[in-house]
Coordinates of all heavy atoms in Angstrom, one line a residue:
Chain B
R75 N -38.6 -78.2 21.2 CA -38.4 -79.6 20.9 C -37.2 -80.2 21.7 O -37.3 -81.3 22.1 CB -38.1 -79.7 19.4 CG -38.3 -81.0 18.8 CD -38.3 -81.0 17.3 NE -37.2 -80.2 16.7 CZ -37.4 -79.2 15.9 NH1 -38.6 -78.9 15.5 NH2 -36.4 -78.5 15.4
R76 N -36.3 -79.5 21.9 CA -35.1 -80.0 22.6 C -35.2 -79.9 24.1 O -34.3 -80.5 24.7 CB -33.8 -79.3 22.1 CG -33.4 -79.5 20.8 CD -32.2 -78.6 20.5 NE -32.1 -78.4 19.1 CZ -31.3 -79.0 18.3 NH1 -30.5 -79.9 18.8 NH2 -31.2 -78.8 17.0
K77 N -36.1 -79.1 24.6 CA -36.1 -78.9 26.0 C -34.7 -78.4 26.4 O -34.3 -78.6 27.5 CB -36.4 -80.1 26.8 CG -37.8 -80.6 26.6 CD -38.7 -80.1 27.7 CE -40.1 -80.8 27.6 NZ -41.0 -80.3 28.7
R78 N -34.1 -77.7 25.5 CA -32.8 -77.0 25.8 C -31.8 -77.8 26.6 O -31.9 -77.9 27.8 CB -33.2 -75.7 26.6 CG -32.2 -74.6 26.4 CD -32.3 -73.9 25.0 NE -31.1 -74.3 24.2 CZ -31.2 -74.7 23.0 NH1 -32.3 -74.8 22.4 NH2 -30.1 -74.9 22.3
R79 N -30.9 -78.3 25.9 CA -29.7 -78.9 26.5 C -29.0 -77.7 27.3 O -29.1 -76.6 26.9 CB -28.8 -79.5 25.5 CG -29.4 -80.5 24.6 CD -28.4 -81.4 24.0 NE -27.6 -80.7 23.0 CZ -27.9 -80.7 21.7 NH1 -28.9 -81.5 21.3 NH2 -27.2 -80.1 20.8
P80 N -28.2 -78.1 28.3 CA -27.4 -77.0 28.9 C -26.4 -76.4 27.9 O -25.9 -77.2 27.1 CB -26.6 -77.7 30.0 CG -26.9 -79.2 29.9 CD -28.0 -79.4 28.9
T81 N -26.3 -75.1 27.9 CA -25.5 -74.5 26.9 C -24.1 -74.3 27.4 O -23.9 -73.9 28.6 CB -26.1 -73.1 26.5 OG1 -26.3 -72.4 27.7 CG2 -27.4 -73.3 25.8
V82 N -23.2 -74.6 26.6 CA -21.8 -74.5 27.0 C -21.1 -73.5 26.2 O -21.0 -73.6 25.0 CB -21.0 -75.9 26.7 CG1 -19.7 -75.9 27.5 CG2 -21.9 -77.0 27.1
P83 N -20.6 -72.4 26.8 CA -19.8 -71.5 26.1 C -18.5 -72.1 25.6 O -17.9 -72.8 26.5 CB -19.6 -70.3 27.1 CG -20.0 -70.8 28.4 CD -20.7 -72.1 28.2
L84 N -18.2 -71.9 24.4 CA -16.8 -72.4 24.0 C -16.2 -71.5 23.0 O -16.9 -70.8 22.3 CB -17.0 -73.8 23.4 CG -17.6 -73.9 22.0 CD1 -17.1 -75.2 21.3 CD2 -19.1 -74.1 22.2
G85 N -14.9 -71.4 23.0 CA -14.3 -70.4 22.3 C -13.4 -70.9 21.1 O -12.8 -70.1 20.4
D86 N -13.4 -72.2 21.0 CA -12.4 -72.8 20.0 C -12.5 -72.1 18.6 O -11.5 -71.7 18.1 CB -12.7 -74.3 19.8 CG -12.2 -75.1 21.0 OD1 -11.6 -74.4 21.9 OD2 -12.2 -76.3 21.0
D87 N -13.7 -72.0 18.1 CA -13.8 -71.4 16.8 C -14.2 -70.0 16.8 O -14.8 -69.5 15.9 CB -14.7 -72.3 15.9 CG -16.0 -72.6 16.5 OD1 -16.1 -72.1 17.7 OD2 -16.8 -73.2 16.0
D88 N -13.9 -69.3 17.8 CA -14.2 -67.9 17.9 C -13.2 -67.1 17.2 O -12.4 -66.3 17.8 CB -14.2 -67.4 19.4 CG -15.6 -67.5 20.0 OD1 -16.4 -68.2 19.4 OD2 -15.9 -66.8 20.9
R89 N -13.1 -67.3 15.9 CA -12.2 -66.5 15.2 C -12.7 -65.2 14.8 O -13.8 -65.1 14.2 CB -11.7 -67.3 13.9 CG -10.8 -68.5 14.2 CD -10.9 -69.4 13.0 NE -12.1 -70.1 12.9 CZ -12.9 -70.0 11.8 NH1 -12.5 -69.2 10.8 NH2 -14.0 -70.6 11.8
G90 N -12.0 -64.2 15.1 CA -12.6 -62.9 14.7 C -12.4 -62.6 13.2 O -11.3 -62.8 12.7
I91 N -13.5 -62.2 12.7 CA -13.4 -61.9 11.2 C -14.1 -60.6 11.0 O -15.3 -60.4 11.3 CB -14.1 -63.0 10.4 CG1 -13.3 -64.3 10.5 CG2 -14.2 -62.6 8.9 CD1 -14.1 -65.5 10.5
G92 N -13.4 -59.7 10.5 CA -13.9 -58.4 10.1 C -14.4 -57.5 11.2 O -15.1 -56.6 11.0
N93 N -14.0 -57.9 12.5 CA -14.4 -56.9 13.5 C -13.4 -55.7 13.6 O -12.2 -55.9 13.4 CB -14.6 -57.5 14.9 CG -13.4 -58.4 15.2 OD1 -12.9 -59.1 14.4 ND2 -13.0 -58.4 16.5
P94 N -13.9 -54.5 13.7 CA -13.0 -53.4 13.6 C -12.1 -53.4 14.8 O -12.3 -53.9 15.8 CB -14.0 -52.2 13.7 CG -15.3 -52.8 14.4 CD -15.3 -54.2 14.0
S95 N -10.9 -52.8 14.5 CA -9.9 -52.8 15.6 C -10.4 -51.7 16.6 O -10.9 -50.7 16.3 CB -8.6 -52.4 15.1 OG -8.7 -51.3 14.2
P96 N -10.2 -52.0 17.9 CA -10.7 -51.2 18.9 C -10.0 -49.8 19.0 O -8.8 -49.7 18.8 CB -10.5 -51.9 20.2 CG -9.4 -52.9 19.9 CD -9.5 -53.2 18.4
S97 N -10.8 -48.8 19.2 CA -10.2 -47.5 19.3 C -9.6 -47.4 20.8 O -9.9 -48.2 21.6 CB -11.3 -46.4 19.2 OG -12.3 -46.5 20.2
P98 N -8.8 -46.3 21.0 CA -8.0 -46.3 22.3 C -9.0 -46.4 23.5 O -8.6 -47.1 24.4 CB -7.4 -44.8 22.2 CG -7.3 -44.6 20.8 CD -8.4 -45.3 20.0
D99 N -10.1 -45.7 23.5 CA -10.9 -45.8 24.7 C -11.8 -47.1 24.7 O -12.6 -47.3 25.5 CB -11.8 -44.6 24.8 CG -12.8 -44.4 23.6 OD1 -12.7 -45.3 22.7 OD2 -13.6 -43.5 23.6
E100 N -11.4 -48.0 23.8 CA -12.1 -49.3 23.9 C -11.1 -50.4 24.3 O -11.4 -51.6 24.3 CB -12.7 -49.7 22.5 CG -13.9 -48.9 22.1 CD -14.2 -49.1 20.6 OE1 -13.5 -49.9 20.0 OE2 -15.2 -48.4 20.2
V101 N -10.0 -49.9 24.8 CA -8.9 -50.8 25.2 C -9.4 -51.8 26.2 O -9.2 -53.0 26.1 CB -7.7 -50.1 25.7 CG1 -6.7 -51.1 26.3 CG2 -7.0 -49.4 24.5
L102 N -10.1 -51.2 27.2 CA -10.6 -52.1 28.3 C -11.5 -53.2 27.8 O -11.3 -54.4 28.2 CB -11.3 -51.2 29.3 CG -11.5 -51.9 30.7 CD1 -11.3 -50.8 31.8 CD2 -12.8 -52.6 30.8
S103 N -12.3 -52.8 26.9 CA -13.3 -53.8 26.4 C -12.6 -54.8 25.5 O -12.9 -56.0 25.4 CB -14.5 -53.2 25.7 OG -14.0 -52.5 24.6
S104 N -11.5 -54.4 24.8 CA -10.9 -55.2 23.8 C -10.1 -56.3 24.5 O -9.8 -57.4 23.9 CB -10.0 -54.4 22.9 OG -8.9 -53.9 23.6
V105 N -9.7 -56.1 25.8 CA -9.0 -57.2 26.5 C -9.9 -58.3 27.0 O -9.5 -59.3 27.4 CB -8.1 -56.7 27.6 CG1 -7.1 -55.7 27.1 CG2 -8.9 -56.0 28.7
R106 N -11.2 -57.9 27.0 CA -12.1 -59.0 27.4 C -12.1 -60.1 26.4 O -12.2 -59.9 25.2 CB -13.5 -58.4 27.2 CG -14.2 -57.7 28.3 CD -14.3 -58.3 29.6 NE -14.6 -57.3 30.5 CZ -14.3 -57.3 31.7 NH1 -13.7 -58.3 32.3 NH2 -14.6 -56.2 32.5
L107 N -12.1 -61.3 26.8 CA -12.2 -62.4 25.9 C -13.6 -62.5 25.5 O -14.5 -62.4 26.3 CB -11.7 -63.7 26.6 CG -10.2 -63.7 27.0 CD1 -9.9 -64.9 27.8 CD2 -9.4 -63.6 25.7
S108 N -13.7 -62.9 24.2 CA -15.1 -63.0 23.8 C -15.9 -64.1 24.5 O -17.1 -64.0 24.6 CB -15.1 -63.3 22.2 OG -14.5 -64.6 22.0
E109 N -15.1 -65.0 25.0 CA -15.8 -66.1 25.8 C -16.5 -65.5 27.1 O -17.6 -66.0 27.5 CB -14.9 -67.2 26.3 CG -14.2 -68.0 25.1 CD -12.9 -67.4 24.7 OE1 -12.9 -66.4 23.9 OE2 -11.9 -67.8 25.2
D110 N -15.8 -64.5 27.7 CA -16.5 -63.9 28.8 C -17.8 -63.3 28.5 O -18.8 -63.4 29.2 CB -15.5 -62.8 29.4 CG -14.3 -63.5 30.0 OD1 -14.3 -64.7 30.3 OD2 -13.3 -62.7 30.2
V111 N -17.8 -62.6 27.3 CA -19.0 -61.9 26.9 C -20.1 -62.9 26.6 O -21.2 -62.8 26.9 CB -18.7 -61.0 25.7 CG1 -19.9 -60.3 25.3 CG2 -17.6 -60.0 26.0
Q112 N -19.6 -64.0 25.9 CA -20.6 -65.0 25.5 C -21.2 -65.6 26.8 O -22.4 -65.8 26.9 CB -19.9 -66.1 24.7 CG -20.8 -67.3 24.4 CD -21.8 -66.9 23.3 OE1 -21.5 -66.5 22.3 NE2 -23.1 -67.2 23.7
A113 N -20.3 -65.9 27.8 CA -20.8 -66.5 29.0 C -21.8 -65.6 29.7 O -22.8 -66.0 30.3 CB -19.6 -66.9 29.9
A114 N -21.5 -64.3 29.7 CA -22.3 -63.3 30.3 C -23.7 -63.2 29.6 O -24.7 -63.1 30.2 CB -21.6 -61.9 30.4
L115 N -23.6 -63.3 28.3 CA -24.8 -63.3 27.5 C -25.8 -64.4 27.9 O -27.0 -64.2 28.1 CB -24.5 -63.4 26.0 CG -24.5 -62.2 25.1 CD1 -24.1 -62.6 23.7 CD2 -25.9 -61.5 25.1
L116 N -25.2 -65.5 28.1 CA -26.0 -66.8 28.4 C -26.6 -66.7 29.8 O -27.5 -67.4 30.1 CB -25.1 -68.0 28.3 CG -24.6 -68.3 26.9 CD1 -23.8 -69.6 26.8 CD2 -25.8 -68.5 25.9
K117 N -26.1 -65.7 30.6 CA -26.7 -65.6 31.9 C -27.9 -64.7 31.9 O -28.6 -64.6 32.9 CB -25.6 -65.0 32.9 CG -24.7 -66.1 33.3 CD -23.7 -65.6 34.4 CE -22.6 -66.6 34.6 NZ -21.3 -66.0 34.9
L118 N -28.1 -63.9 30.8 CA -29.2 -63.0 30.8 C -30.5 -63.8 30.6 O -30.5 -64.8 29.9 CB -29.1 -62.1 29.6 CG -27.9 -61.1 29.5 CD1 -28.1 -60.2 28.3 CD2 -27.8 -60.3 30.8
P119 N -31.6 -63.3 31.2 CA -32.9 -64.0 30.9 C -33.1 -63.9 29.4 O -32.7 -62.9 28.7 CB -33.9 -63.1 31.6 CG -33.1 -62.3 32.6 CD -31.7 -62.2 32.1
M120 N -33.8 -64.9 28.8 CA -33.9 -65.0 27.4 C -34.5 -63.8 26.7 O -34.1 -63.4 25.7 CB -34.6 -66.3 27.0 CG -34.7 -66.6 25.5 SD -33.1 -66.5 24.7 CE -32.6 -68.3 24.7
D121 N -35.5 -63.2 27.4 CA -36.2 -62.0 26.8 C -35.2 -60.9 26.5 O -35.2 -60.2 25.5 CB -37.2 -61.5 27.7 CG -38.5 -62.4 27.7 OD1 -38.5 -63.3 26.8 OD2 -39.3 -62.2 28.5
F122 N -34.3 -60.7 27.5 CA -33.3 -59.6 27.4 C -32.2 -60.0 26.4 O -31.7 -59.2 25.6 CB -32.7 -59.3 28.7 CG -33.7 -58.8 29.7 CD1 -34.4 -59.7 30.5 CD2 -34.0 -57.5 29.8 CE1 -35.4 -59.3 31.5 CE2 -35.0 -57.0 30.7 CZ -35.7 -57.9 31.5
R123 N -31.8 -61.3 26.5 CA -30.7 -61.8 25.7 C -31.1 -61.6 24.2 O -30.3 -61.2 23.4 CB -30.5 -63.2 26.0 CG -29.1 -63.8 25.5 CD -29.1 -65.3 25.6 NE -29.5 -65.8 26.9 CZ -29.7 -67.1 27.2 NH1 -29.6 -68.0 26.3 NH2 -30.0 -67.4 28.4
E124 N -32.3 -62.0 24.0 CA -32.8 -61.9 22.6 C -32.7 -60.6 22.0 O -32.2 -60.3 20.9 CB -34.2 -62.5 22.5 CG -34.8 -62.4 21.2 CD -36.2 -63.0 21.2 OE1 -37.1 -62.6 22.0 OE2 -36.5 -63.8 20.3
C125 N -33.2 -59.6 22.7 CA -33.3 -58.2 22.2 C -31.8 -57.7 22.0 O -31.5 -57.0 21.1 CB -34.1 -57.3 23.1 SG -35.9 -57.6 22.9
V126 N -31.0 -58.0 23.0 CA -29.6 -57.5 22.9 C -28.9 -58.1 21.7 O -28.2 -57.5 21.0 CB -28.9 -57.9 24.2 CG1 -27.4 -57.7 24.1 CG2 -29.3 -57.0 25.4
V127 N -29.1 -59.4 21.5 CA -28.5 -60.1 20.4 C -29.0 -59.5 19.0 O -28.2 -59.2 18.1 CB -28.7 -61.6 20.4 CG1 -28.3 -62.3 19.1 CG2 -27.8 -62.2 21.6
L128 N -30.3 -59.3 18.9 CA -30.8 -58.8 17.7 C -30.3 -57.4 17.4 O -30.1 -57.0 16.3 CB -32.4 -58.8 17.7 CG -33.1 -60.2 17.6 CD1 -34.5 -60.0 17.8 CD2 -32.8 -60.7 16.2
C129 N -30.1 -56.7 18.5 CA -29.6 -55.3 18.3 C -28.1 -55.3 18.0 O -27.6 -54.7 17.1 CB -29.9 -54.5 19.5 SG -29.3 -52.8 19.5
D130 N -27.3 -55.9 18.9 CA -25.9 -55.7 18.9 C -25.1 -56.8 18.0 O -24.0 -56.5 17.6 CB -25.3 -55.8 20.3 CG -25.7 -54.5 21.0 OD1 -25.8 -53.4 20.4 OD2 -25.9 -54.5 22.3
V131 N -25.7 -57.9 17.8 CA -25.0 -59.0 17.0 C -25.6 -58.9 15.6 O -24.9 -58.9 14.6 CB -25.2 -60.4 17.7 CG1 -24.6 -61.4 16.7 CG2 -24.5 -60.4 19.0
V132 N -26.9 -58.9 15.5 CA -27.5 -58.9 14.2 C -27.5 -57.5 13.6 O -27.4 -57.4 12.3 CB -29.0 -59.5 14.2 CG1 -29.6 -59.4 12.9 CG2 -28.9 -60.9 14.8
G133 N -27.7 -56.5 14.4 CA -27.7 -55.1 13.9 C -29.0 -54.6 13.5 O -29.1 -53.7 12.6
L134 N -30.1 -55.1 14.1 CA -31.4 -54.6 13.7 C -31.7 -53.3 14.4 O -31.2 -53.0 15.5 CB -32.5 -55.6 14.1 CG -32.5 -57.0 13.4 CD1 -33.8 -57.7 13.7 CD2 -32.3 -56.8 11.9
T135 N -32.6 -52.5 13.8 CA -33.1 -51.3 14.5 C -34.1 -51.7 15.5 O -34.6 -52.8 15.5 CB -33.7 -50.3 13.5 OG1 -34.9 -50.9 13.0 CG2 -32.8 -49.9 12.4
Y136 N -34.5 -50.8 16.4 CA -35.5 -51.1 17.4 C -36.9 -51.4 16.8 O -37.6 -52.3 17.2 CB -35.7 -49.9 18.4 CG -34.6 -49.7 19.4 CD1 -33.3 -50.3 19.2 CD2 -34.7 -48.8 20.5 CE1 -32.3 -50.1 20.1 CE2 -33.7 -48.6 21.4 CZ -32.5 -49.3 21.2 OH -31.5 -49.1 22.1
D137 N -37.2 -50.7 15.7 CA -38.4 -51.0 14.9 C -38.4 -52.4 14.4 O -39.4 -53.1 14.4 CB -38.5 -50.0 13.8 CG -39.3 -48.7 14.2 OD1 -39.9 -48.8 15.3 OD2 -39.1 -47.7 13.5
E138 N -37.3 -52.8 13.8 CA -37.2 -54.1 13.3 C -37.3 -55.2 14.3 O -37.9 -56.2 14.1 CB -35.9 -54.3 12.5 CG -35.9 -53.5 11.2 CD -34.5 -53.3 10.5 OE1 -33.4 -53.5 11.3 OE2 -34.4 -53.0 9.4
I139 N -36.7 -54.9 15.5 CA -36.8 -55.9 16.6 C -38.2 -56.0 17.1 O -38.8 -57.1 17.3 CB -35.8 -55.5 17.7 CG1 -34.4 -55.5 17.2 CG2 -36.0 -56.4 18.9 CD1 -33.4 -54.9 18.2

Side-chain angles (χ1 to χ4, degrees):
Chain B
R75 200 166 44 236
R76 287 172 205 264
K77 293 265 192 178
R78 208 72 253 132
R79 305 199 286 265
T81 53
V82 195
L84 71 154
D86 281 3
D87 48 359
D88 266 24
R89 287 161 289 117
I91 291 148
N93 47 322
S95 45
S97 64
D99 60 359
E100 288 166 2
V101 168
L102 200 143
S103 60
S104 69
V105 299
R106 277 299 166 210
L107 294 172
S108 65
E109 295 92 276
D110 293 343
V111 180
Q112 176 71 58
L115 259 180
L116 294 178
K117 285 182 187 147
L118 298 184
M120 187 50 96
D121 287 347
F122 298 92
R123 197 191 309 168
E124 177 178 51
C125 286
V126 165
V127 166
L128 285 173
C129 179
D130 288 327
V131 174
V132 177
L134 298 190
T135 64
Y136 288 13
D137 273 341
E138 288 165 342
I139 297 171

